[in-house]
Amino acid sequence: MKTLSENRCFGGVQGVYSHASQACGCDMTFGLFLPAEAQDGPVPLLWYLSGLTCTHENAMVKAGAQAWAAEQGIALVFPDTSPRGEGVADDPEYDLGQGAGFYVNATQAPWAAHFRMWDYIAEELPAALDAAFPVDLERQAITGHSMGGHGALTLAMRLPGRFRSVSAFAPIANPTESDWGRKQLGAYLGEGADWAAHDASLLMAAKGFDGPVLVDQGSEDQFLDLLRPEALAQAMAARRQEGAFRMQKGYDHSYFFVSTFMEEHVHFHAEALYA
């Protein structure tokens, strides 16, 4: 584990760290906010998964989450969105390749060698955090934006018992029926693979989540047709899933939207983490 930076932040520490990832076959960077309470022992952990084109830094700098996490005594981890570096496959289009890992384990060339973001988020990074920092892996929650909302929802539903709560900001909600999804799942997993395992709407219909769910979606989101939020809302309603899907009037897809509702999301997770 290499420390890249550490800054005092709301009584705690906002750090940036890198480590050698076996899952991704390259060095990976992540941000970690530890509240003041971490000086006395392990604290609950909230994951924030970012969207297309993002790194660990976007939400760490723009979302304003540290203030609310410090208030609740919760750690925040901001992973990167894909493997990076020399020798890591990329694509000239922004929605494939580096910055667009989609939180899956790629099986197709040239992506399979490094793009194993599912294993990285589900297994490797939690183990690395547990070994190096005072975080309590018995109390975890997860959230994310756009592609990261897709990742948060699919990880939460496919790893029952791992997360006490899940939320999402404008998630890619139905990728098997969207151009944002068919392109990436086809490239990473291949035609005929089990795409349904990475579709939050289909997972919600099939199994749901064993805890509360909160989804916020802006009504003026410029990517609504690609996100397909109505599929997830319908699946939640049909399943009578504990939680809420909220259409927020006038908001778009930006971090202005995310930061507006971040306080409510952190409080939502804190209630579950301290139950």
Side-chain angles (χ1 to χ4, degrees), residues 30 39-40 54 80 82 89 94-95 103 107 130 135 156 165 170 183 187 195 199 205 214 224 226 236 274:
F30 64 92
Q39 298 176 33
D40 300 320
C54 292
D80 203 346
S82 77
Y94 74 97
D95 56 357
Y103 305 101
T107 60
D130 188 43
V135 294
S165 51
K183 175 181 179 179
W195 293 6
D199 187 306
L214 175 61
L224 271 177
L226 294 166
M236 289 177 65
Y274 285 110

Side-chain angles (χ1 to χ4, degrees), residues 23-79:
C24 297
C26 63
D27 286 349
M28 294 292 287
T29 300
F30 64 92
L32 178 67
F33 170 73
L34 290 172
E37 288 83 350
Q39 298 176 33
D40 300 320
V43 293
L45 178 64
L46 174 59
W47 293 76
Y48 183 99
L49 304 186
S50 288
L52 288 167
T53 76
C54 292
T55 69
H56 68 281
E57 189 174 46
N58 293 71
M60 188 181 83
V61 173
K62 297 179 181 179
Q66 293 92 337
W68 315 120
E71 179 182 275
Q72 300 294 331
I74 293 171
L76 293 166
V77 61
F78 304 96

